[in-house]
Amino acid sequence: MKNKDWLYLFAYYILKFLVIIMPNFILNFLAFIVAKIVFKFNHKHRKIIDINLQICFPEKNQLQRDQLSFQIYRNFANFGLDCIKNQNTSKEKILNKIVIDNEKILNEALKSQRGIIFTTAHYGNWELLSLAYAAKFGAISIVGRKLESQKMDSILAKNRTQFDIELIEKQGGLRKMLNAIKNNRALGILTDQDCTDNESIKLDFFGKKVNYQMGASVLAQRTKALILPAFVYQGKDKKFHIRFFKTMDPLEKSIEELTLYQANCCEEMIKFKPDEYFFFHRRFSSYNKAIYKDMQ
C-alpha cells in the first residue's frame, strides 16, 4: 500500500472514531477548527476559489470573497463528517435528516413510468442525494470515478452502495448506464465539472464559455428517460433539503437544450447558496486557462 493510502486510512479511522464517541456540538467545533487551519494554509485552492468567485460574483469585494471562501471550507468539513456518519446507517436515520422541498415533481416523474436521469453537481452534501432517494423511493444507479487511493475508494463505495444503490464507473460504463435505465433503476450523474470537447457542449455558464458535460442529455435522448435536476442543500433548520427542478423531456428538446437547462439549474443553485458549491476545481479552465496560471 502506498504511503498516501496509509495516511488517508489512518485519518479516516481517527475521524470515524471521533464521530462515534463525540457529541455533535464538539464535532462541529472540530470541523470549524480544521476548516480554519486548512483555509489558512491551503493557498493553492484558496486562489482557485477566489478566481471562481470573482467570475461568478463580480460584485463581491475581497473581504466578502474571503468570508465566503472560509464558509465553503467549513461546509465541506461538516459534509465530510456527515458522510462518515452515514456509513452502515439505516433508512430511517437518512430520512430523518432530509426534507424534500417539492416532492410533487418527483412523484409526477415516477407516475410517468419512464426512466429518470437525475443530474446534479458537486453541490452541498451531494453524496446524500442517492442515499435519500434509495431509502424512500427505490433502486438507483450512480455514475462516479474511482479515487486514487484504492483503500479509500473501497470505503467510499460501501457508503455509496447502501439500500440498493449501484455504483457505475464512469470510464467504460455506458452499457451499465443503459441497462440501469432499461431495468427501471433511476440514474444519477454529476454533470458540472470541466471536461473534454468530445464529451461536452460549449455554452455560457456565469457569463463565461465552458465545456458542460452532455452525457446525461445523450443518454436521455437514447432511452427517452426524463431529465430531472436535483440538488441537496442545508436549510436553516439544519436539515438537508432536496430541491428538484422541473423535468425536461428529451422527446421535446435537443441535446443542446437539455444540457443548457442542466447548466442553468446548476447556476441557479449556486446563486441561491454559493457557500455550498465545490469551488475548488478549475471550472472555467477550458477556454480561460490563463486565469489559473501559476497554480500547479
Side-chain angles (χ1 to χ4, degrees):
M1 191 188 299
K2 296 178 181 178
N3 290 336
K4 278 188 177 181
D5 278 3
W6 281 114
L7 182 61
Y8 293 146
L9 204 58
F10 176 74
Y12 166 76
Y13 281 114
I14 290 291
L15 281 172
K16 187 174 181 180
F17 175 72
L18 294 176
V19 165
I20 292 170
I21 67 168
M22 288 186 171
N24 284 334
F25 76 93
I26 295 181
L27 287 173
N28 291 337
F29 177 72
L30 284 176
F32 174 83
I33 296 300
V34 169
K36 272 284 189 186
I37 293 170
V38 178
F39 177 75
K40 181 175 178 61
F41 294 104
N42 186 212
H43 301 295
K44 174 183 172 180
H45 286 103
R46 273 188 66 183
K47 288 180 180 178
I48 293 173
I49 291 171
D50 193 63
I51 289 167
N52 289 333
L53 290 178
Q54 288 180 58
I55 292 171
C56 297
F57 303 99
E59 74 280 3
K60 293 187 183 296
N61 60 35
Q62 187 66 61
L63 177 60
Q64 291 170 321
R65 294 198 305 272
D66 287 344
Q67 291 171 339
L68 181 52
S69 294
F70 171 66
Q71 191 58 43
I72 290 168
Y73 276 88
R74 187 177 180 183
N75 281 338
F76 283 98
N78 284 319
F79 297 155
L81 289 176
D82 189 73
C83 188
I84 294 173
K85 291 177 186 178
N86 292 337
Q87 288 210 325
N88 303 314
T89 190
S90 67
K91 292 182 179 180
E92 290 73 23
K93 287 182 179 178
I94 292 294
L95 295 177
N96 282 339
K97 67 170 68 178
I98 68 159
V99 175
I100 301 178
D101 288 348
N102 42 12
E103 191 172 337
K104 182 180 178 182
I105 292 176
L106 175 58
N107 288 333
E108 288 178 352
L110 292 169
K111 285 178 185 176
S112 73
Q113 297 187 328
R114 292 172 62 179
I116 298 175
I117 300 175
F118 292 106
T119 60
T120 191
H122 294 82
Y123 182 91
N125 195 352
W126 70 82
E127 294 282 352
L128 188 58
L129 183 58
S130 56
L131 289 173
Y133 179 86
K136 186 165 185 178
F137 299 100
I140 184 170
S141 300
I142 58 173
V143 181
R145 288 192 177 98
K146 288 183 177 293
L147 299 179
E148 289 183 10
S149 167
Q150 291 184 355
K151 285 292 183 182
M152 290 308 301
D153 185 72
S154 177
I155 289 170
L156 182 59
K158 286 182 180 179
N159 185 47
R160 286 176 163 175
T161 53
Q162 301 175 87
F163 317 143
D164 197 11
I165 301 174
E166 176 192 30
L167 182 59
I168 298 175
E169 169 67 25
K170 181 180 179 181
Q171 191 69 31
L174 177 59
R175 180 171 293 181
K176 287 186 176 180
M177 296 179 213
L178 292 170
N179 284 337
I181 297 170
K182 182 181 178 181
N183 294 326
N184 299 316
R185 301 180 69 91
L187 184 67
I189 304 178
L190 290 156
T191 63
D192 63 307
Q193 284 193 315
D194 193 29
C195 53
T196 59
D197 292 346
N198 66 343
E199 59 182 355
S200 65
I201 288 176
K202 183 179 179 181
L203 50 76
D204 283 335
F205 188 66
F206 281 96
K208 289 278 188 182
K209 293 296 181 185
V210 299
N211 280 340
Y212 209 93
Q213 292 185 27
M214 64 179 180
S217 304
V218 173
L219 279 169
Q221 289 249 310
R222 186 164 174 177
T223 62
K224 301 180 176 60
L226 298 171
I227 292 283
L228 180 46
F231 301 86
V232 180
Y233 69 94
Q234 193 162 30
K236 292 179 180 179
D237 56 5
K238 300 303 179 184
K239 288 199 171 189
F240 293 102
H241 289 243
I242 298 175
R243 175 175 294 184
F244 296 111
F245 286 76
K246 70 177 183 178
T247 56
M248 188 68 73
D249 192 335
L251 301 179
E252 300 172 356
K253 302 291 181 180
S254 66
I255 289 175
E256 289 78 10
E257 289 172 316
L258 292 169
T259 307
L260 180 60
Y261 177 61
Q262 295 163 52
N264 289 341
C265 292
C266 182
E267 184 171 330
E268 184 175 330
M269 283 303 299
I270 294 171
K271 288 176 178 176
F272 166 66
K273 230 174 163 289
D275 58 303
E276 295 205 23
Y277 187 60
F278 197 78
F279 274 112
F280 295 87
H281 57 261
R282 305 178 200 200
R283 183 63 191 92
F284 301 92
S285 63
S286 284
Y287 302 99
N288 306 277
K289 284 186 173 61
I291 64 175
Y292 298 106
K293 65 182 179 180
D294 302 324
M295 278 182 278
Q296 301 300 324

